[in-house]
Amino acid sequence: MFRTAAASVVLSLAIMHVPSQVEAQTQHLEQLSRKYTATLDEIARDVPGVIGIAVVDLTTGERFGVNEGLVFPQGSSIKVPLLIELFRQADEGALQLDEAVVIDESVRTGGSGILRHFSDGASALSLRDLAVLMIVLSDNTATNILIDRAGMDNVNRTMAALGFPNTKLQRRMIRPQDSAAGRENVATPAEAAGIMARIAECDLPMSRDSCEDLRSILELPKATPGSIPSGSRVAWKGGSITGVRAGWGIIDLPGRPFAIGVMVNYTDGAAAEDAIAAVVEASHAHFARLAGVTSHGARVPLRYLDPPSRN
């Protein structure tokens, strides 16, 4: 009798010290998160200059970051907030996306894009067509036309109202004198990733149809950093000015989509671009490991996970 009772006590104590299945799986996921965070830290340590990284798991809301609260110059990535404001105003009827603008000497701007090569006054493009050129070819003439049409202050008010006060459009494109005077287009990695998450969730001050049209423009084919396997929809807008590289994105990895903001300053060219590519690839690898898994980490076809597992 005594031996049986003692065995029961030992068994009870052992059970008390064995993690539950939920706790055990939580520990597994925490290990994966720590490994991913360590990889991001390693990339940040090795890149010349300063890098900021923010990533949002669009399934669970978990956030990862390195220097995610620092303010960085944006280059052409700031065109995403302008695109949002353009579609917001169109949705409420303040402007029409099919409104045509004549392309002539009065609106031309240097730098990237093709509109600066158009014949004077021979073509007219809609605001939506200009938005496509702004995002896909980073056309600066198209961008400045849209800044003038949507209003710089309106862009910043909308960003602040959405909870992104550090995301600011403060100058037109190709204005080095404004940049030198401190009027730079800026954002933080955390806000960039947050903005892209709002786009992914269609949580914007516009109709779902408008939001989906906006996102479709961001998903048009263009150069993206890193090697992302086929099968994922990618919404991306990169940016570069001398000494700066940036990228805002949604990687719609089946079963585990994520939003990302990456920015590098105090460096140029290949080193910065390689760092952004490394962040994108490391992030895709991390979330691919979590896509289509059960609560025990076993992989099953996505059709059996409805809704997707929120591990």
Side-chain angles (χ1 to χ4, degrees), residues 18 23 34-35 68 114 129 133 138-139 141 153 164 176 180 190 202 205 208 241 289-290 302 307:
V18 173
E23 290 172 340
R34 285 196 296 270
K35 288 180 179 181
E68 65 270 32
I114 61 171
D129 289 344
L133 291 174
S138 215
D139 193 291
T141 293
D153 291 341
F164 307 116
C202 274
R208 176 166 287 274
I241 52 178
R289 197 167 286 115
L290 298 173
L302 285 173

Side-chain angles (χ1 to χ4, degrees), residues 79 82 86 101 103 107-110 112-116 125-135 137-149 172-173:
K79 295 170 184 179
L82 175 58
L86 182 74
V101 178
I103 308 303
V107 298
R108 286 201 192 95
T109 300
S112 60
I114 61 171
L115 291 182
R116 62 194 179 97
L125 296 175
S126 71
L127 295 181
R128 189 185 183 285
D129 289 344
L130 292 170
V132 169
L133 291 174
M134 174 179 75
I135 296 301
L137 298 181
S138 215
D139 193 291
N140 288 324
T141 293
T143 304
N144 283 349
I145 292 170
L146 295 178
I147 288 174
D148 293 341
R149 189 66 183 82
R172 300 168 87 239
M173 299 298 109

Side-chain angles (χ1 to χ4, degrees), residues 280-301:
V280 171
E281 290 178 356
S283 299
H284 188 279
H286 172 72
F287 290 107
R289 197 167 286 115
L290 298 173
V293 297
T294 69
S295 59
H296 292 282
R299 194 169 304 283
V300 298

